[in-house]
Structure formats: structure tokens, C-alpha cells
Amino acid sequence: MAVHGLRIAVVAACAGLVAPWLGPASPAGASPAAGGGCSAGARTLSPPGSRVYPETGNGGYASLHTLVHLVYDATANRFLPGNRVDLTDRATQCLTSFSLDFERSSANTSSGPDMTVNSVTVNGVPARFRFVQPTYPGDPNGQDDPDPAAHQASQTNPVGGPRHNPLPPACSPELLSANAGKDSLNGTPCPANKLVITPTAPIRNGDTFTVMVSYTGRPGVHNDGDGTTEGWFRAPDGGFVTTEPVGTEDWMPLNDYPAAKPTYDFSDTVTAGRTVTANGVLVSVRPHRASREFPGGSVTWNWHSPAPIASYLVEDSVGNYRLTARTADGIRFYQAQDTSIGAAQQRKNLAIMRMQPDITRFESQFNGPYPFSSDGIVIGTPTVSFDEEMQTMIAFSGGTIDTDTLYHENMHQWWGDHVTEDGYRLTFYKEGLATLAEFLYHARLAEDAAGGPSSPKGRAAFQASLVHQFNAIYGSGGSFWTAAPSNPDPFGLFSGSATYSRPGAAYIALRQILGHTNFARALQQIQRMYGGASISEAELEAVFRQWLPVHSSACQARLSEFFTQWFDTAYPPGGGPHRPMITGPDLAGPGFYGAHGVCA
Ligand SMILES: [Zn+2]
């Protein structure tokens, strides 16, 4: 994600293999077994004590595939009868009930959602459904705890608020504006956005089952813990989708957690003349004659993503987009922009969009092969809170695109998209790497100015640019170092140095410590090991540790301390002595190795 209006230095501030949903059935304390060892699935995937979006995710099953089947009137901004999602899941316990995330309405009555669930079936059989509040993860009284204090919002753990609630938060507050007081909703009830589905008979452990949710109404945006919005933005010609971290549930029901990654098909029937841009590759476009729902005719767009997609990376924008495509290096590149953007601006945008194959080639030098069969960009007109790295279809808002941010979002295709963080508190891991891509872009410009990559002067300029960038960040004072990247609160998750510049600088230091070749090898090993799935902080750090050039226990320990300082420590304000005290060779600050290249 790249946030508008937050730029630091030359950089745009933006925005193991054991998947958590396959883990223990009930981190929230699912209902006790109702006979036969069957029980309700957990209504959160967040670990106990979470304060960043603890309400999201659902356990007891793995999300395998989703067919999105929108029937969308782009003129009225409404989902019409026939609109539905078909979810294919596999039970990881015997399930008496299970849940999805779906915000069908919210306190934001102007641009929030206003939708109705009309029916739910499981394996084609009608199922009972109801909406409940989330419960704080780990509640020993179970997720139907009658205590209202077990279902309250907060930025902090414990909830606090006017009644000094000592329990952990059940959800992140939905602040109605970025100017709302950070803690103004602490201690208020969480909205009932958990859609609990009870099939007529329990689903056996290991069974694959399909869930069809039919719903109609107006999709909308989610108000986040920092007061920004994301989800389905109204555009004059349809809807524009950027959703990080949780706004997908404001236009479709899903297992709304980054580590839940089903594959996707889209079959969207929309107002005639409109274009649908979604993830993956375009399969077909079929026009239809006038009907009762669409008096002027309609058109069905089919997109297919064979790659799994994290919850916040599902793209499905509808509008008057001019869509083009070309193939380079075996990758299909899509370019879409709204036709209402002025002609001169469209030409400027297209020139930048056409750089995507070159940027992908450049970033592949570090990350290894591009992980998907397609890549692309959609430029919409609404003014929204951020641009976003939607998988294979990067969403730019406000009618414009810029090169820095494209380097950033395209880097996310490897980091965040292919290898996804295992929870929101690891957001810094992928934002740091995307920020590194902006540093690498500026280093590339310096290299080109000095003679290019084939000349020693060019390569020296590349390196000098990165060192300069690190040293500029390392000199930061004030509140730059006061939040630990791995312990964000909802209010600061996407706005601060802890998510972007600090981890970005840490990766420059890591490249100095491991050596440039080993650093790239580590990145590529992470892609191979965790691609298509998610990664934890411990797993991430373990791979980097393997690529230390000096295999001594002292160096291993020093690298562990490096990660603790850069990723996990909140320092007093001011910088200077209050910042990480391990940097890397040739960088400002204390180095990593001693005089003889060993870790003392
Ligand atoms: Zn980002």
C-alpha cells in the first residue's frame, strides 16, 4: 500500500508453511463439542492478545477457491438479484457451524455498505445464518460469551475505555474520520460482522464443502482503525476497489484474513459498456441483450486467477475502463484506465504503465522469477486513501500513476502478494521490502547517470545511493524510532516510519551484512519456500540467518539482536542513542562485524 501525502525523504511512504487456519481449531475458544467431537469453528484467526483487527478470519476450515459472481448495476451502484459468491472450503475439524466476515452495513451511512444476505446454502442445501459480534481471541468463556465486555473495540490491549474494561479487544475501532480521536471508540460495542452459518448436519473433518451466499444492495467502504477508508468506492461510472487491510468484506463475504488464500474466478455481469478489471487473466467477455434488470443490456466478464490471493488483494473494479494488454517475458501485462481521465493525463499514465515489464525485470534480479502469469494496473478516478498492490492488478486512484509508487506496488507482487504476512502485525515485513524497491529505483537512476550497470562507476553509484539513503534515515530523530514495527496499533499501522522507512532501511543494512549476492539468494529462497502461502516473522528471520557469510554462533546471535533492535524495539524519542545500535558494514552507526570480520 502507498498512502497519499505521506512522503519521507526521497521515498514514497506507502502504503511456516503451517497456515494458521490449519492450526488448532479454536484460538477463540470455540463452543464445546456437541457430541461426536463436532464443534463450532473459531470466529477469528488472530492470536490471543491481538489489537490489530482481532475480529477477522475464521477457523475450522481452509479456504480453497472462491467464485465471485457479481450482478452489478453500475449506474445505481447496486448488486442485483443473482449476485453471489460460491466458496469452496475444506473442513479441518468436524464443524457444527462456521463463520465468514461480512460488513453488510455500518455507521458510515453515506459511503458505507448497505447490503442484505438473502440466502445461504451449504452443498446446495439451505442453511441457517445469523450475524454476531466478534469475541476477543482466546476468551476462555467461549465465543458466545454473554459478557458484553468480551465484544468491545479498542486500539489497545486491554480495552480500557470509560468503563476500564480489562479484557483484550474483540475488534479494531471503525473511526469515522482520520481526525477522530484515536481512542474515541475504545470500549464501544463491536459491530456484528461475523456471519455464522449452521448447516443442517455437521460437516466432517476433511470434507470439502461449498457455501453459496446470495446478497444484494449497495457495496461500500470500511472505516479503519486509523480513520481512513477502504473497500468499494463509488465512482461516477461504477465502483473502484482498494481494500487493505479488511475492506473486502464490505463488498463480499469471505474469510477475511491475510493468510487465508483461496484461488479465484470472477464471473461478473454488469451494465453494458462497462469493463471489469480483476485478478489473474481475462478469459472471456460476453454481451447480453436487454433484460428486466439491465434494460440497456449487460455484459459478463470472466477472469481467472490460478494463484491463491490474500484477503486484501482481491481486485474487482467496474467502470468505463479502456483495457489493453501485451505480453513480455512470457507475462501478460494489462493496462486499464478510466476513459474520463483527460487525454493528456491518459498519455502520461500510459507511458508509466508501459514501464511495468522493465520494472518487473529489474525487481526480478533481486527477488527471482516473477511469481504470476500476469501483471497489470488499473487507474480509477475516485480520490481514496491509498494506492494498493492488488494481486496482478495494481490499483491507482485519483486518475494518476507515478513511477516511485509503481516500483513499490510492483515489488509487493513478490512481497505481500506471493509471500503473504501471517497476520497484520507483520505488515512491516512486506512494506519494508516495497520501500526498499523505491530505494533500489533511486539507486538505479544514479547508476544510469554514472554509466549504467555494466560500468564500475555505475555500480559504485548504485551502492553509494543506497548507503546515502540508509544514512539519511538513520539520522532521524523525533518520534521516528518510538514504535516497534512488529507491534503496531490499528491507528499507526499504515502511517508511520515503523511500517515503511525503518524496515526499508533495515533491509539495506541486512544487504550489507549478508553481502549483496547472499541477500538476493535469501530473498529467492523465501519466495521458493513460502510462495503461494504466508510467512511468520520467525520464519523470515531464519532464512536470512542461513545466508550469513560467517557461520559462527556469535554472528547468528548478533543477527538475532539486529532483528530485535530493528523490528521489535520501541525506543524513547529523540534518536541518537535511542535507535538500533547494530547497522552494517560501511553504514553510519555501529557495524556488524569486528575488526577481523568476526562477530565479537
Ligand atoms: Zn505498500
Side-chain angles (χ1 to χ4, degrees):
M1 178 197 293
V3 177
H4 289 157
L6 276 164
R7 284 171 178 271
I8 296 166
V10 297
V11 177
C14 109
L17 284 179
V18 179
W21 68 92
L22 296 176
S26 179
S31 303
C38 302
S39 60
R43 295 178 203 149
T44 178
L45 289 175
S46 295
S50 296
R51 62 174 180 176
V52 276
Y53 303 98
E55 71 273 28
T56 57
N58 306 278
Y61 64 91
S63 300
L64 304 181
H65 182 71
T66 299
L67 167 62
V68 179
H69 194 286
L70 299 188
V71 180
Y72 177 67
D73 181 338
T75 308
N77 190 36
R78 287 285 189 285
F79 294 144
L80 303 177
N83 188 81
R84 67 174 204 269
V85 290
D86 296 346
L87 312 162
T88 303
D89 302 325
R90 186 177 57 240
T92 55
Q93 66 174 78
C94 181
L95 285 167
T96 53
S97 69
F98 59 93
S99 53
L100 296 168
D101 301 287
F102 191 44
E103 184 167 59
R104 68 205 192 284
S105 63
S106 81
N108 181 348
T109 53
S110 56
S111 51
D114 182 13
M115 299 180 285
T116 303
V117 173
N118 303 303
S119 67
V120 177
T121 66
V122 175
N123 292 330
V125 178
R128 284 186 294 132
F129 62 92
R130 62 194 170 110
F131 282 90
V132 304
Q133 288 179 289
T135 307
Y136 75 86
D139 184 346
N141 297 325
Q143 50 196 11
D144 292 313
D145 190 340
D147 182 357
H151 313 280
Q152 291 186 343
S154 188
Q155 298 279 345
T156 59
N157 179 16
V159 167
R163 292 174 182 274
H164 308 289
N165 180 352
L167 300 176
C171 70
S172 291
E174 297 192 29
L175 299 181
L176 280 174
S177 91
N179 299 322
K182 173 184 172 181
D183 296 317
S184 57
L185 294 181
N186 291 2
T188 57
C190 293
N193 294 341
K194 305 300 296 191
L195 171 55
V196 176
I197 297 167
T198 305
T200 52
I203 301 165
R204 287 175 307 181
N205 185 14
D207 278 5
T208 297
F209 60 102
T210 58
V211 185
M212 186 176 84
V213 182
S214 298
Y215 59 104
T216 50
R218 183 189 75 195
V221 296
H222 182 90
N223 286 77
D224 277 317
D226 60 2
T228 63
T229 55
E230 87 277 347
W232 186 285
F233 291 90
R234 180 72 168 118
D237 50 341
F240 179 70
V241 169
T242 68
T243 56
E244 190 171 9
V246 300
T248 306
E249 67 176 276
D250 289 65
W251 62 272
M252 64 176 269
L254 79 160
N255 191 2
D256 199 1
Y257 201 76
K261 298 177 66 171
T263 54
Y264 273 85
D265 277 294
F266 302 83
S267 183
D268 294 349
T269 298
V270 301
T271 308
R274 301 300 200 277
T275 298
V276 175
T277 62
N279 313 91
V281 293
L282 179 60
V283 177
S284 64
V285 183
R286 272 185 302 120
H288 310 289
R289 281 197 292 268
S291 62
R292 195 164 62 84
E293 288 84 5
F294 294 103
S298 61
V299 56
T300 300
W301 290 73
N302 288 293
W303 290 81
H304 172 63
S305 172
I309 304 174
S311 54
Y312 67 93
L313 299 169
V314 181
E315 179 55 39
D316 205 359
S317 291
V318 182
N320 289 320
Y321 294 110
R322 181 174 293 115
L323 177 68
T324 57
R326 59 201 188 117
T327 300
D329 303 327
I331 302 162
R332 192 79 168 148
F333 287 90
Y334 294 99
Q335 306 85 38
Q337 56 181 329
D338 198 290
T339 54
S340 70
I341 299 167
Q345 185 63 46
Q346 283 197 48
R347 279 193 298 277
K348 275 191 211 170
N349 289 344
L350 193 59
I352 293 175
M353 287 197 281
R354 283 183 171 154
M355 295 165 64
Q356 197 173 24
D358 173 66
I359 293 170
T360 301
R361 221 172 284 133
F362 173 72
E363 293 178 340
S364 298
Q365 295 172 28
F366 306 92
N367 303 330
Y370 180 74
F372 306 117
S373 58
S374 66
D375 200 358
I377 296 161
V378 54
I379 304 177
T381 55
T383 301
V384 308
S385 303
F386 50 81
D387 301 320
E388 194 187 338
E389 65 270 23
M390 315 313 281
Q391 187 162 304
T392 70
M393 188 62 78
I394 297 166
F396 280 85
S397 58
T400 62
I401 183 173
D402 69 274
T403 309
D404 267 281
T405 309
L406 182 54
Y407 271 82
H408 177 113
E409 309 297 358
N410 205 64
M411 188 78 162
H412 273 310
Q413 300 302 311
W414 287 267
W415 308 110
D417 294 28
H418 192 46
V419 178
T420 304
E421 61 280 12
D422 72 346
Y424 303 103
R425 55 180 287 284
L426 200 59
T427 298
F428 77 90
Y429 130 77
K430 54 108 178 177
E431 294 302 341
L433 281 161
T435 302
L436 177 67
E438 300 176 55
F439 301 153
L440 293 170
Y441 166 48
H442 286 270
R444 188 186 192 192
L445 292 176
E447 179 182 69
D448 287 346
S454 58
S455 87
K457 274 188 181 167
R459 291 195 295 275
F462 186 94
Q463 179 61 18
S465 171
L466 290 177
V467 169
H468 174 79
Q469 184 60 59
F470 177 91
N471 291 344
I473 289 172
Y474 192 62
S476 299
S479 61
F480 188 90
W481 308 98
T482 56
S486 64
N487 187 24
D489 63 17
F491 195 79
L493 182 59
F494 291 105
S495 58
S497 54
T499 299
Y500 298 98
S501 299
R502 179 167 159 183
Y507 289 122
I508 294 178
L510 198 52
R511 185 168 176 264
Q512 297 295 97
I513 291 166
L514 302 185
H516 306 167
T517 304
N518 277 14
F519 179 71
R521 284 176 176 159
L523 294 182
Q524 291 164 27
Q525 182 176 326
I526 294 165
Q527 286 292 311
R528 286 193 301 273
M529 287 179 69
Y530 298 100
S534 61
I535 193 168
S536 70
E537 185 178 355
E539 290 165 340
L540 176 76
E541 293 169 6
V543 175
F544 286 122
R545 218 173 274 116
Q546 285 176 35
W547 289 96
L548 268 173
V550 182
H551 286 282
S552 69
S553 57
C555 282
Q556 299 277 332
R558 193 157 171 79
L559 190 58
S560 294
E561 180 58 24
F562 170 89
F563 287 128
T564 300
Q565 292 184 8
W566 280 90
F567 292 165
D568 306 322
T569 303
Y571 292 94
H578 303 310
R579 58 180 174 172
M581 280 295 132
I582 302 174
T583 58
D586 305 324
L587 301 174
F592 186 87
Y593 303 103
H596 304 291
V598 297
C599 301

